[in-house]
Amino acid sequence: MIIVCQQCQTRFHLDDDATRKSTFVARCSVCGHLFSAYRPVRTQAITFIDLEKVRQAEADDTVMAISNRKGGVAKTTTCLNLGASLALYGKKVLLVDFDAQANLSLCLGKRELPTFYDAQKAVSRPLDEFIVATAYPNVWLLPSGRNMVLLNKNYFGSRDFEFLLKDRLETLEAEFDFILIDTPPSIEFSTLNALTAARRVLIPCQCDYLSTHGVDQVLRLIALIRKKSNPLIESRVLLTMLDRDTSVSQMILSKIKRLYQGQTFETLIEMDGQLKEAQILSMPAIHYSRKSPAAKQYIQLAREILVATDRAAVSAP
Ligand SMILES: Nc1ncnc2c1ncn2[C@@H]1O[C@H](COP(=O)(O)OP(=O)(O)OP(=O)(O)O)[C@@H](O)[C@H]1O
Ligand SMILES: [Mg+2]
């Protein structure tokens, strides 16, 4: 049989009789990497489990970025309402506003507060000193503000700059069940940091023709990030602002489902005027009107994510 070191990719021929065990540990004689291996059945290729990667996957499961290269597709709305919905299920949620427009902070009525930029300027202070409580139980916020544009200017291109957020969030992962990061519609410091920190990416896609181009761009970026800085990153598309009454929406819905087969959430978010009303009052829609269609759908989305991430969902909140 052939075994391949997961670290340096060196291939070794191993006598089939070398071990009769279904699982065994091997050490690479080239780089010294230690890994476990098992063969589920004789006829299948041997599958190797890289214990280091498994541990990392478990630890990083908390962080999810909300991203799309296109503007106005409901990234911020989704971050806010999904976060508030997960909180209804009793989960502790940190919302990270990583967009200099600071729309997420504004939607929660938080203005002119210290931001991640300020936290970077004071690296000796723990990040949780910059986190603020919101009016909603179980929902916390790392606010954004005008000085967030300076992150791009001061750090973009510097050595390992894309790991700055990941390194700071790692100190908080034990405190929260979910950390959701809202990103801007451009590829810059914030987006690259968010995609490096996140284990999962939720890509909101508005049900219109041009939105799929934004999804393609973000998927290409995710493929690059997977190679460079975040090998375990996964993504899923969320259809937003669906208008079931128009045939255009229905056509685009079936096109998107075909294009991203198996990579879309079951839950769909419909067009709902009450989301805009809630925004004016700086509230998540699920607290403004729990019975509105989009509020119910965001709660359903939270449930879908809880089930997918094996975090036992409790009965409806
Ligand atoms: N399901 C919905 N029904 C009706 N309006 C919606 C819905 N989702 C979002 N909107 C509205 O669409 C607009 C854009 O939403 P949002 O700000 O969340 O998008 P975004 O992707 O974060 O934008 P940006 O790229 O500028 O950050 C907002 O006015 C919001 O209220
Ligand atoms: Mg936004």
Side-chain angles (χ1 to χ4, degrees):
M1 64 181 135
I2 293 173
I3 61 172
V4 183
C5 170
Q6 297 294 293
Q7 185 159 276
C8 68
Q9 307 300 318
T10 307
R11 292 162 70 83
F12 298 95
H13 286 272
L14 196 66
D15 194 332
D16 273 351
D17 297 328
T19 176
R20 297 211 169 274
K21 290 181 180 168
S22 56
T23 62
F24 57 95
V25 177
R27 183 190 293 280
C28 173
S29 59
V30 175
C31 70
H33 186 56
L34 203 62
F35 52 90
S36 295
Y38 73 93
R39 41 183 159 193
V41 288
R42 274 193 84 82
T43 51
Q44 278 183 12
I46 296 170
T47 312
F48 294 95
I49 305 168
D50 186 322
L51 294 178
E52 228 166 87
K53 275 190 181 171
V54 171
R55 266 198 300 275
Q56 194 194 341
E58 281 167 1
D60 288 350
D61 206 24
T62 317
V63 185
M64 179 185 283
I66 322 291
S67 193
N68 189 323
R69 184 76 176 76
K70 192 165 184 313
V73 294
K75 294 182 289 296
T76 302
T77 306
T78 298
C79 193
L80 177 65
N81 286 288
L82 173 60
S85 301
L86 289 165
L88 283 186
Y89 280 106
K91 302 297 169 193
K92 259 186 101 175
V93 179
L94 171 64
L95 303 178
V96 176
D97 190 350
F98 228 48
D99 181 354
Q101 296 180 90
N103 289 346
L104 179 58
S105 307
L106 294 176
C107 286
L108 285 162
K110 306 288 181 189
R111 294 161 195 266
E112 311 291 336
L113 292 169
T115 68
F116 182 79
Y117 177 77
D118 298 298
Q120 274 312 106
K121 287 280 155 204
V123 274
S124 57
R125 288 175 59 196
L127 190 58
D128 53 14
E129 286 185 16
F130 295 83
I131 288 170
V132 295
T134 69
Y136 309 99
N138 282 337
V139 181
W140 280 263
L141 173 73
L142 178 58
S144 175
R146 271 174 295 177
N147 67 7
M148 288 287 282
V149 290
L150 296 174
L151 286 169
N152 230 14
K153 186 165 173 272
N154 292 0
Y155 297 102
F156 193 90
S158 63
R159 193 185 152 97
D160 292 336
F161 75 92
E162 64 270 48
F163 288 91
L164 290 178
L165 177 64
K166 182 182 171 73
D167 290 348
R168 298 301 296 270
L169 286 183
E170 266 168 9
T171 60
L172 295 175
E173 276 170 21
E175 290 178 40
F176 294 96
D177 296 302
F178 286 93
I179 298 177
L180 307 184
I181 312 169
D182 187 27
T183 62
S186 49
I187 297 170
E188 47 162 86
F189 174 94
S190 298
T191 309
L192 295 174
N193 266 269
L195 296 183
T196 298
R199 174 75 166 75
R200 296 165 202 278
V201 186
L202 185 156
I203 309 173
C205 175
Q206 188 180 350
C207 263
D208 72 19
Y209 172 65
L210 292 175
S211 286
T212 55
H213 294 280
V215 177
D216 286 342
Q217 285 176 338
V218 96
L219 285 175
R220 274 201 293 276
L221 181 62
I222 288 170
L224 274 178
I225 297 267
R226 187 175 291 120
K227 278 190 192 153
K228 198 168 175 276
S229 55
N230 189 358
L232 296 166
I233 191 168
E234 287 168 16
S235 62
R236 209 159 263 258
V237 177
L238 173 72
L239 275 303
T240 62
M241 296 192 234
L242 171 71
D243 183 353
R244 287 192 194 271
D245 295 336
T246 64
S247 54
V248 174
S249 250
Q250 292 295 346
M251 279 165 64
I252 290 166
L253 177 62
S254 53
K255 179 187 161 190
I256 289 172
K257 287 207 156 173
R258 206 174 48 247
L259 270 178
Y260 308 115
Q261 233 170 26
Q263 296 176 64
T264 55
F265 284 99
E266 290 287 318
T267 309
L268 305 171
I269 310 293
E270 288 177 37
M271 197 64 104
D272 182 353
Q274 294 191 63
L275 278 182
K276 283 187 194 286
E277 292 171 24
Q279 231 168 28
I280 296 168
L281 298 172
S282 297
M283 291 177 82
I286 62 152
H287 288 289
Y288 174 67
S289 166
R290 180 90 65 93
K291 296 262 173 345
S292 84
K296 285 195 212 153
Q297 287 152 0
Y298 275 115
I299 292 170
Q300 174 60 34
L301 176 67
R303 191 178 182 86
E304 190 179 339
I305 288 172
L306 286 168
V307 171
T309 54
D310 272 345
R311 285 163 161 87
V314 289
S315 50

